[in-house]
Amino acid sequence: MKKILVSIVIIIAVIVGCKTNSSKGVASKLNVIFEPKSSSNVQGTGFFTEKNNQVTFTAKFSGLKPGIHAIHIHEKSDCSAADGSSAGGHWNPTFKKHGKLGEGDAHKGDIGNFTADDLGNGSITFNTNEWCIGCEDKTKDILGKSLIVHQGADDYVSQPAGNSGARVACSAIIK
């Protein structure tokens, strides 16, 4: 009986601890590091923060060609291929057409475009409630995927991937 009571107290403490943590609004944080692909010199760092069912992704890059670049979440956390092809296609667990996430039909991995300055530096911040970090919903969980930075801009129209060119940087999204 004493063991059962102790177990119940521990379970209640864990539940209260989880509730207390989520009432502060922070569910999870995750850092990522981008490596060059396709003979580029692109490097970068980024992080995901989940708070109140909203995920914010922020990243900074260097070594890009000046101009507009696309960034997408791809289906596999594999950056081993020299051209980034091992990451697979865009992450699309809901089988939608390619587009711009938050504006009509889109893959869950369709983040969008950002601009690199004349020195090749760029950054992006993106917020969505379409993702989670390590949750049980496979149509929202970004863990086990990858991020790909493309050589050019996403046109948000061409199927299946936006005609954004070579994969110039990759990062696995893993804990």
Side-chain angles (χ1 to χ4, degrees), residues 36-72:
K37 294 294 167 191
S38 302
S39 300
S40 79
N41 294 315
V42 179
Q43 296 181 27
T45 58
F47 62 92
F48 292 92
T49 305
E50 184 175 0
K51 184 176 181 180
N52 298 325
N53 298 318
Q54 184 85 10
V55 174
T56 300
F57 168 65
T58 303
K60 293 183 180 183
F61 303 97
S62 64
L64 292 160
K65 291 183 180 178
I68 301 172
H69 300 271
I71 184 168
H72 304 112

Side-chain angles (χ1 to χ4, degrees), residues 130-148:
E130 295 289 329
W131 303 341
C132 63
I133 302 170
C135 69
E136 293 181 14
D137 185 343
K138 298 299 180 196
T139 67
K140 294 180 91 170
D141 187 7
I142 60 172
L143 288 181
K145 313 299 181 270
S146 64
L147 288 156
I148 294 286

